[in-house]
Amino acid sequence: MRRAVIGLLIMAFILALSGSALAKTLTIKMSYNGPPDEVNNAVHYYAVNFKKLVEDKLGGKIKIELYPDSQLGTEEERMQLLTKSGLNQPIINVASYAGMAPVLPEAYAASIPFMFDSYKAAHRFFDSGRYWSKVKEEFKKRTGAVLLEAVEEGGFLAFTNSKREIKGPDDFRGA
């Protein structure tokens, strides 16, 4: 099974939703790459559904505004916006490993080709694995923001050569 490219959803919550109800509607900006096209952009499809789930489950206490096509800046610029101290506007930044690299290069370890042989193995790694838990703790320590989730974008990594098909790590030998 080919491992899908996994994007990272980072959420800066500078708000405490612990127990107390919000007096008014809180608006959160959600920024990501790619066009607002649910058919051809898996990240936009994810964002639309995430927005609906949050708004429905919280009964309108939180409103999410979508900013596709990097409207709030490149991944690197959005990462800087997310991690600036004194940020007074909650933001959700959907970033790739490349977007995370300036802040947390060790996240790249989760994108090693052929690391997972199934979606179940990947879910175990990201949902309950010790390494990913430590990555999330380190991200919060460095930025003050919360690494909310790793999401599968439906993409894939492609490797080619002129000698043979590559189906696993051993196929790279002599290629």
Side-chain angles (χ1 to χ4, degrees):
M1 172 179 222
R2 274 189 280 205
R3 188 179 85 52
V5 175
I6 297 182
L8 299 174
L9 175 63
I10 301 105
M11 187 171 195
F13 263 139
I14 300 160
L15 57 127
L17 290 175
S18 57
S20 63
L22 294 171
K24 61 180 185 169
T25 299
L26 175 69
T27 300
I28 300 174
K29 295 177 180 179
M30 184 174 190
S31 183
Y32 48 93
N33 296 342
D37 179 345
E38 290 181 56
V39 174
N40 296 306
N41 181 2
V43 176
H44 182 68
Y45 180 80
Y46 176 84
V48 167
N49 285 288
F50 181 85
K51 169 185 169 63
K52 182 176 178 4
L53 284 170
V54 168
E55 291 177 355
D56 288 353
K57 293 288 182 189
L58 296 175
K61 292 179 183 172
I62 291 182
K63 179 183 176 206
I64 296 179
E65 293 178 347
L66 302 180
Y67 290 85
D69 274 339
S70 301
Q71 291 177 34
L72 299 182
T74 65
E75 282 186 317
E76 187 174 327
E77 291 167 338
R78 293 190 324 257
M79 192 60 65
Q80 290 172 355
L81 175 68
L82 179 76
T83 60
K84 282 185 178 176
S85 60
L87 181 65
N88 61 7
Q89 168 68 45
I91 185 170
I92 299 170
N93 179 30
V94 181
S96 67
Y97 288 117
M100 295 273 303
V103 174
L104 193 69
E106 49 269 64
Y108 267 119
S111 68
I112 296 170
F114 308 107
M115 182 170 166
F116 307 112
D117 61 0
S118 68
Y119 285 107
K120 185 177 181 179
H123 282 285
R124 238 185 348 265
F125 177 85
F126 288 106
D127 297 343
S128 59
R130 284 185 19 209
Y131 179 78
W132 200 249
S133 291
K134 290 187 181 288
V135 165
K136 290 166 85 171
E137 289 171 18
E138 189 60 32
F139 184 78
K140 184 165 185 167
K141 195 184 310 179
R142 291 181 194 175
T143 66
V146 175
L147 175 57
L148 181 65
E149 192 65 71
V151 296
E152 191 273 319
E153 294 181 0
F156 61 91
L157 296 174
F159 299 99
T160 62
N161 68 59
S162 60
K163 296 186 179 184
R164 69 182 152 280
E165 187 177 10
I166 296 175
K167 293 183 178 180
D170 289 340
D171 297 329
F172 282 99
R173 294 177 211 258

